[in-house]
Amino acid sequence: MASHPGAALRFLLLVTGLHAGLLQQGRSSSLQSSYENIDLLYEPLQMSGEHQNLVTEDVTVVEGEVAIISCRVKNSDDSVIQLLNPNRQTIYFRDVRPLKDSRFQLVNFSSNELRVSLSNVTLEDEGRYLCQVYTDPPQEAFTTITVLVPPHNLVIDVQKDTYVEGEEVEMNCTALASKPAAAIRWFKGNKELTAVKTDVEPMEERMFRVRSQLVLTAKREDDGIPIVCLVDHPAVKDLQTQQYLEVQYKPLVSVSVKYPQGLTREGETLELVCSATGKPSPERVLWQRVDDDLPEHVLILGDNLLFGNLNKTDNGTYRCEASNSVGSASADYTLFVYDHPTTLPPPTTTTTTTTTTTTPFIIPDTRAGDETPLVVDHAVIGGVVAVVVFAMLCLLIILGRYFARHKGTYFTHEAKGADDAADADTAIINAEGGQNSCEEKKEYFI
């Protein structure tokens, strides 16, 4: 075609004549098929222009938004640039718009670029647009407009509004008329769930309907939690809908002690509190004594159980039971009454002028069946220790005096021998025989 300059002109005249003739006949379907055949004729031109200067880019646009179509020439030689729609109708020839469609507007025109905007894009605008440069041979390039259609509606269907704990919940989320097909995700609160199945159904005009099914078991902690159906689609962000679960469940019961704090002892007052929550709210709360009747002196004050004067006959297990339309539940409290604590009087001593009162240290007896506390008084222990010490001191004094007396008697006998002796040896002999001397010196009177 480069060796025959008139070939390109004759080709363009053929296309223009065919275009005009088919428009007069008003047969759009024949026109479209004819253009498809012309594309086959243009294919050799595209291949021969592999290293051409004409550059285009494909466009993806959301339905209703604006698409920008650009035809650029790398090395401009002031050739004519033309833009045609998929039906081969001329949109712009240079900076002139022959097509009577005001949605097309000129954005920029120069020797090396023709840029056009298309507003309020619809599915009918989708297709291949042709950029042409009238060189010898002519150069052309296609730019494809892809139109995305977000889901028109997102709906969650449920079998019923209220579920009982343990029941199976089935939900279906449907995304209508989207292009391409939407992807559906499920969430319970912030936790993502897995769908049982997803169906994609083709519709007219290259649209799709998507339906996703979720099945889960109702739990009491799910009551009031939103189940979210979220759509992933390139044409839209954060498209979601949600359905709040309403779950009914039987009461949750607990028993606590209002007073006293610590051990329960004879003669004291005890109040037990029964707490019950459920959906619907518990209709009634029932107190009973397991395997026995309630004591006569016990009062039931609403949900509370009051013991006015505890004694050991009150020992046993007390049960609080609550019920609603779903079911009933109970909680037990085992009562054990301890002996009342006793304190010994402080000891009285004559050695001190100040009386010291001490707090008794109570050691509970942990033997099963006998909970009598042991009382130990520190003052009694101190008195016993003082008596023992005093007795030991007195014993030491008596022993000391005894040994001292015996030692003096020994020295007295030795001294008697020394008084009568002329020297030390004689004194010893006299001491050993002192008894005899004494016997000799005895005088008897009649």
Side-chain angles (χ1 to χ4, degrees):
M1 294 187 68
S3 61
H4 300 282
L9 180 59
R10 288 195 300 271
F11 185 80
L12 290 174
L13 290 174
L14 175 63
V15 172
T16 305
L18 180 60
H19 183 194
L22 292 175
L23 284 177
Q24 289 177 356
Q25 295 177 9
R27 293 179 293 180
S28 59
S29 60
S30 300
L31 178 64
Q32 181 65 31
S33 61
S34 299
Y35 281 139
E36 292 175 355
N37 295 330
I38 292 174
D39 287 342
L40 297 177
L41 295 175
Y42 279 173
E43 195 67 29
L45 292 178
Q46 288 182 283
M47 297 300 294
S48 64
E50 184 178 1
H51 302 290
Q52 63 186 6
N53 294 327
L54 189 58
V55 179
T56 61
E57 294 179 354
D58 292 338
V59 179
T60 300
V61 62
V62 177
E63 184 182 35
E65 296 185 357
V66 179
I68 302 297
I69 308 170
S70 177
C71 303
R72 291 184 295 111
V73 180
K74 294 181 181 178
N75 300 313
S76 175
D77 56 359
D78 294 329
S79 299
V80 176
I81 304 176
Q82 181 179 221
L83 176 63
L84 293 84
N85 66 11
N87 295 327
R88 295 301 185 271
Q89 297 170 324
T90 301
I91 301 173
Y92 269 91
F93 184 86
R94 297 178 63 88
D95 58 349
V96 179
R97 176 168 56 83
L99 187 65
K100 303 304 179 181
D101 189 343
S102 60
R103 296 182 304 148
F104 290 96
Q105 295 293 326
L106 184 65
V107 177
N108 181 48
F109 173 74
S110 64
S111 59
N112 61 351
E113 183 182 37
L114 174 62
R115 185 181 299 176
V116 177
S117 67
L118 172 58
S119 60
N120 195 21
V121 177
T122 65
L123 275 176
E124 288 74 18
D125 298 321
E126 190 174 61
R128 296 207 306 171
Y129 289 73
L130 178 64
C131 291
Q132 288 183 336
V133 178
Y134 286 96
T135 59
D136 190 13
Q139 297 183 29
E140 64 179 21
F142 288 98
T143 176
T144 302
I145 293 182
T146 301
V147 180
L148 305 177
V149 181
H152 290 171
N153 199 8
L154 192 63
V155 180
I156 292 182
D157 297 322
V158 293
Q159 296 174 328
K160 54 185 181 179
D161 297 331
T162 303
Y163 294 87
V164 175
E165 184 178 22
E167 281 188 336
E168 186 178 84
V169 181
E170 180 180 325
M171 292 186 173
N172 294 283
C173 184
T174 305
L176 299 175
S178 64
K179 177 180 175 294
I184 295 180
R185 301 166 63 191
W186 290 95
F187 291 87
K188 183 174 71 173
N190 296 324
K191 181 182 179 181
E192 186 167 1
L193 306 176
T194 302
V196 175
K197 64 177 181 177
T198 300
D199 297 325
V200 179
E201 179 184 351
M203 300 176 63
E204 297 178 356
E205 299 181 352
R206 295 161 288 177
M207 309 278 274
F208 296 90
R209 177 189 290 113
V210 181
R211 188 169 184 264
S212 179
Q213 185 180 78
L214 175 70
V215 176
L216 54 86
T217 301
K219 300 178 181 178
R220 66 179 61 198
E221 55 266 26
D222 295 335
D223 182 50
I225 299 297
I227 304 298
V228 179
C229 172
L230 176 69
V231 166
D232 282 340
H233 194 274
V236 66
K237 291 182 178 180
D238 298 329
L239 177 61
Q240 63 180 30
T241 184
Q242 61 186 16
Q243 176 74 33
Y244 285 88
L245 280 181
E246 184 176 352
V247 181
Q248 294 185 345
Y249 51 91
K250 65 182 182 180
L252 181 65
V253 184
S254 63
V255 177
S256 60
V257 178
K258 186 174 183 180
Y259 60 84
Q261 300 298 323
L263 299 178
T264 51
R265 301 185 181 279
E266 285 187 309
E268 294 182 348
T269 300
L270 170 67
E271 185 171 1
L272 300 179
V273 179
C274 181
S275 301
T277 58
K279 188 171 184 180
S281 297
E283 301 167 355
R284 60 190 179 86
V285 171
L286 175 65
W287 278 102
Q288 59 181 338
R289 186 176 183 179
V290 178
D291 299 330
D292 203 347
D293 296 331
L294 285 175
E296 295 182 356
H297 62 280
V298 172
L299 298 178
I300 298 178
L301 305 176
D303 296 343
N304 297 0
L305 191 65
L306 180 63
F307 294 79
N309 186 13
L310 286 173
N311 58 71
K312 291 194 174 183
T313 61
D314 297 329
N315 291 343
T317 300
Y318 294 83
R319 176 170 297 166
C320 171
E321 183 176 359
S323 61
N324 58 12
S325 59
V326 179
S328 61
S330 63
D332 293 342
Y333 175 82
T334 301
L335 173 62
F336 189 89
V337 180
Y338 294 82
D339 292 333
H340 194 279
T342 57
T343 304
L344 295 177
T348 303
T349 60
T350 58
T351 56
T352 58
T353 58
T354 302
T355 303
T356 302
T357 303
T358 59
T359 302
F361 176 70
I362 302 174
I363 303 176
D365 189 355
T366 58
R367 293 174 299 174
D370 187 4
E371 298 293 337
T372 303
L374 301 179
V375 181
V376 179
D377 197 320
H378 294 287
V380 174
I381 296 175
V384 173
V385 173
V387 171
V388 172
V389 173
F390 179 75
M392 292 179 67
L393 289 175
C394 292
L395 179 61
L396 290 175
I397 292 173
I398 294 171
L399 290 175
R401 295 188 57 158
Y402 173 78
F403 287 117
R405 286 179 180 179
H406 280 275
K407 183 176 181 181
T409 305
Y410 170 77
F411 285 119
T412 302
H413 287 292
E414 185 178 13
K416 287 181 179 181
D419 290 340
D420 298 334
D423 52 23
D425 294 334
T426 306
I428 294 173
I429 295 172
N430 292 337
E432 293 177 353
Q435 291 182 350
N436 298 328
S437 299
C438 293
E439 291 291 334
E440 292 175 358
K441 291 181 181 181
K442 289 183 181 179
E443 297 181 2
Y444 300 93
F445 297 94
I446 301 175

